[in-house]
Amino acid sequence: MDYFNAFWVGGLICALVQILLDKTRLLPGRVMVILVCSGVILSAIGLYQPLTDYAGAGATVPLTGFGQILWKGMKKAIDRDGLLGLFTGGFTACSAGVSAALIFSWIGSLIFRPKMKD
């Protein structure tokens, strides 16, 4: 049942984002920012954690999950370090994921030799 819940929640998030992209004139970069900010806001008001408890990877893998990680890191750092944690907590919490994305992208570029389009 865990796989089913992850599948339908993640699929619903992706479908809603696809509808947003198709029905509005928003650029993909702006939609990505909306998703991250939505994850932060939903986490701040306490709505996203129950969703991640229910759906697992279906809620943590989309960009809204990245927003949740940023919020959790900032909240923890603010409690520990005060106002300085507002600037350091998000970076600390998501550093492993961002580093992995950069490293694996670099490895992929070595394997597939991408070229600029003319």
Side-chain angles (χ1 to χ4, degrees):
M1 197 62 169
D2 291 338
Y3 292 121
F4 179 74
N5 291 337
F7 180 78
W8 81 262
V9 170
L12 180 66
I13 292 171
C14 291
L16 291 173
V17 171
Q18 189 61 51
I19 291 169
L20 183 67
L21 283 168
D22 291 345
K23 299 296 181 184
T24 65
R25 298 182 62 144
L26 290 172
L27 298 173
R30 292 185 178 168
V31 172
M32 290 173 27
V33 169
I34 289 170
L35 287 171
V36 173
C37 292
S38 298
V40 169
I41 292 168
L42 290 172
S43 295
I45 60 176
L47 295 178
Y48 207 76
Q49 186 60 46
L51 185 63
T52 59
D53 293 341
Y54 176 74
T60 58
V61 170
L63 282 175
T64 49
F66 182 69
Q68 182 196 26
I69 294 295
L70 288 173
W71 170 255
K72 282 180 160 181
M74 287 188 330
K75 185 176 180 215
K76 183 178 176 183
I78 289 170
D79 291 341
R80 187 183 65 235
D81 301 329
L83 186 61
L84 184 62
L86 181 66
F87 302 104
T88 61
F91 294 118
T92 304
C94 69
S95 61
V98 172
S99 297
L102 290 171
I103 291 168
F104 289 126
S105 298
W106 179 72
I107 291 170
S109 72
L110 292 177
I111 294 170
F112 295 105
R113 299 297 214 175
K115 299 194 178 23
M116 295 294 290
K117 291 184 180 181
D118 293 327

